[in-house]
Amino acid sequence: MSPPAAAGGLPERRGSRPVGTGRARAKAIVLGEHAVVYGAPALALPLPQLTVTATAGFSARSPAGPDGFSLTVTGDGERPKAARASDGLRRLTAGFRAVMGLPDTPRLDVIIDCAIPLGRGLGSSAACARAVVHALADLFGREVTPQLAFDLVQTAEKVAHGRASGVDAAAVGATAPLLFRAGRAEEPAIGCEGLFIVADSGVAGRTRDAVELLRRGFEERPGSREAFVSRATELTGTARLALAEGRPEELGAQLTEYHGLLRAGGLSTDRIDAMVGAALAGGALGAKITGGGMGGCVIALARAERAAGVTARLLAAGAVRTWSVPLGKQAGHGR
């Protein structure tokens, strides 16, 4: 429980310094990546196995700069992006203080323990941001509405990635699959059974490069952007209906078709293509790259009785680790 607020909006100090804690989880895009930036819908699901925990407390040191914020990132072992992430998290922290009417001092120390591998399209930056939002809320004893949490995470995401659709900001706080479009998220109806298997290629994706590659392609081929967004919207819409009406084969077919769409845009790799092919050969109902592209992960849909075989094929094709998520509501909460 958060310590009570004292004058000026700061928690009272009773003995040891107060500490706030926040949590979030990874996500995977089922369908709609890249097109969602242009207003198309996207289907996403949380990965409860991969979590982020953030702790925030007051530092005994004097503020080193105008933001009075220090960041330490631990966890997965791949921390080269921590410095870039800190810029977005500093802006998020300043935004939190401004919205809550909190003073700029004392200095804050934030520690993030992140189990989400970076550069895999699994929402590591958004999850870290969401965990920090809730750690600050816990520290200061403030309530954060879902909309405010989304807005603050978006603040950090726009610094980290430039233009951000918002699907990551929504999905890392979800407890069930969601349908996201134009800033709004809802839980889709689910009538299918099966498992989504997410497989890490071991190669970090390059989201910024992928976005730029796709943008250049759109500029060079008039009408190609509209065609891409239209086809992506069609595939995601068909998948949503198949998901609701209990047609897993059709749902899987949309995944494979969407992979072809992203591959045609130059966003896949030889290893990713090999993993997709292996999943299909192993009995998956569909498979595709997930996330920004040019590396990262594959997501495959399989019936429960075929999941072990599909996973084995993915590992044999180069995957370094896998996670499985059953269709339906996920246990736990994103906070």
Side-chain angles (χ1 to χ4, degrees):
M1 182 176 179
S2 301
L10 299 179
E12 290 182 358
R13 299 182 185 218
R14 296 177 178 174
S16 61
R17 296 187 183 92
V19 173
T21 303
R23 297 178 179 85
R25 56 186 49 171
K27 61 81 199 175
I29 302 294
V30 179
L31 288 160
E33 50 267 90
H34 289 286
V36 69
V37 175
Y38 299 100
L43 280 169
L45 74 156
L47 299 180
Q49 304 96 320
L50 297 175
T51 60
V52 175
T53 300
T55 57
F58 301 115
S59 175
R61 296 171 290 173
S62 298
D67 52 21
F69 172 93
S70 70
L71 174 67
T72 303
V73 182
T74 65
D76 185 70
E78 299 177 77
R79 303 295 107 198
K81 297 183 181 179
R84 188 174 75 184
S86 70
D87 294 335
L89 294 177
R90 280 185 166 84
R91 190 170 298 182
L92 179 157
T93 302
F96 180 92
R97 282 177 141 161
V99 169
M100 297 296 179
L102 298 169
D104 293 337
T105 55
R107 178 191 177 101
L108 293 173
D109 285 339
V110 176
I111 300 174
I112 297 175
D113 183 8
C114 180
I116 305 171
L118 295 179
R120 303 307 200 274
L122 301 180
S124 61
S125 62
C128 288
R130 181 179 175 84
V132 169
V133 167
H134 285 291
L136 294 174
D138 191 32
L139 175 66
F140 288 100
R142 300 301 179 92
E143 291 296 323
V144 176
T145 65
Q147 184 62 51
L148 178 58
F150 175 85
D151 291 342
L152 289 170
V153 173
Q154 277 292 84
T155 296
E157 284 289 274
K158 288 175 182 177
V159 173
H161 300 299
R163 186 175 181 179
S165 69
V167 64
D168 283 16
V172 296
T175 58
L178 62 81
L179 179 69
F180 181 90
R181 185 170 193 171
R184 298 179 62 86
E186 61 184 71
E187 290 187 15
I190 298 176
C192 289
E193 293 184 355
L195 288 171
F196 282 112
I197 302 165
V198 178
D200 181 3
S201 71
V203 179
R206 304 192 303 276
T207 299
R208 286 180 178 269
D209 291 347
V211 169
E212 178 61 19
L213 177 66
L214 203 59
R215 185 192 64 78
R216 288 200 308 268
F218 290 157
E219 290 179 349
E220 293 168 0
R221 298 185 297 276
S224 60
R225 188 183 80 176
E226 291 76 11
F228 176 86
V229 173
S230 176
R231 180 59 174 154
T233 299
E234 178 186 2
L235 292 171
T236 304
T238 301
R240 180 182 65 81
L241 289 176
L243 179 64
E245 296 172 3
R247 300 195 302 273
E249 295 90 349
E250 187 172 357
L251 172 61
Q254 308 316 301
L255 268 68
T256 307
E257 286 289 324
Y258 205 101
H259 179 72
L261 185 66
L262 296 177
R263 186 173 183 271
L267 303 182
S268 189
T269 67
D270 290 344
R271 176 174 289 193
I272 292 291
D273 287 343
M275 289 169 59
V276 167
L280 295 173
L285 299 175
K288 61 181 282 293
I289 192 170
T290 180
M294 303 180 78
C297 293
V298 163
I299 185 168
L301 175 64
R303 297 187 186 277
E305 64 271 18
R306 291 290 189 95
V310 172
T311 299
R313 290 291 192 107
L314 284 164
L315 292 169
V320 297
R321 48 192 164 180
T322 66
W323 307 274
S324 62
V325 183
L327 277 171
K329 292 189 175 182
Q330 313 301 307
H333 300 280
R335 179 167 175 173

